[in-house]
């Protein structure tokens, strides 16, 4: 059974840091070509935050998080991380881990419709 389980969310103040984890079971993340982190704030669309090409390690980030967030892989733990620093109130959202096979169509790694496997999410709240 394919499972992606996120953890590490919480409440922090502006400028704080959190590290989100996505533990993968039922498959190895390198059987999926791209692993991504998405977020969804109340009343808003789910948006791509970061993605990583599992074979080559290339990373992709939304402009809003570049320089503050880092996506990475841990082969031994079959886990994907999202290190978040310099957090802002606008980063408040439910964060989801996702996976897909193959290259995203049109290079749109940020398009949630291109990902098949999803976790249940972990809440991140940033207060001012």
């Amino acid at each position: 059974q394919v499972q992606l389980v996120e953890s590490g969310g919480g409440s922090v103040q502006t400028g704080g840091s959190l590290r989100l984890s996505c533990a993968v079971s039922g498959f190895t993340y390198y059987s999926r070509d791209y692993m991504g982190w998405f977020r969804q704030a109340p009343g808003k669309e789910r948006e791509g935050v970061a993605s990583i090409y599992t074979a080559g390690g290339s990373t992709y980030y939304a402009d809003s998080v570049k320089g503050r967030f880092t996506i990475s892989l841990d082969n031994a733990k079959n886990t994907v991380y999202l290190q978040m620093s310099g957090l802002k109130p606008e980063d408040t959202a439910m964060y989801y881990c996702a996976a897909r096979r193959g290259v995203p169509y049109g290079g749109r790694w940020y398009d949630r419709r291109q990902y098949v496997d999803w976790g249940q999410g972990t809440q991140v709240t940033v207060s001012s």
Side-chain angles (χ1 to χ4, degrees):
Q1 182 180 359
V2 172
Q3 275 195 314
L4 288 77
V5 180
E6 302 95 334
S7 61
S11 296
V12 296
Q13 293 188 325
T14 297
S17 298
L18 286 173
R19 188 179 76 161
L20 306 185
S21 299
C22 173
V24 176
S25 62
F27 68 95
T28 53
Y29 64 67
Y30 49 80
S31 70
R32 301 294 190 267
D33 296 286
Y34 284 78
M35 298 293 298
W37 284 97
F38 288 73
R39 67 186 181 187
Q40 187 168 18
K44 293 189 176 182
E45 293 288 321
R46 190 171 297 189
E47 63 175 357
V49 175
S51 185
I52 186 166
Y53 176 46
T54 59
S58 297
T59 56
Y60 309 87
Y61 296 95
D63 288 343
S64 58
V65 307
K66 278 180 183 176
R68 300 188 298 122
F69 291 11
T70 302
I71 187 171
S72 62
L73 305 169
D74 185 323
N75 292 330
K77 296 183 178 180
N78 209 29
T79 297
V80 183
Y81 298 103
L82 185 69
Q83 178 67 48
M84 306 185 296
S85 60
L87 284 163
K88 306 174 182 180
E90 51 263 44
D91 294 318
T92 295
M94 184 72 79
Y95 282 70
Y96 299 90
C97 178
R100 68 161 281 122
R101 290 177 176 155
V103 178
Y105 296 113
R108 295 191 298 274
W109 63 266
Y110 46 84
D111 185 349
R112 61 178 175 80
R113 296 169 296 181
Q114 302 211 39
Y115 291 77
V116 176
D117 304 302
W118 289 88
Q120 83 292 345
T122 185
Q123 178 68 38
V124 171
T125 302
V126 185
S127 58
S128 56

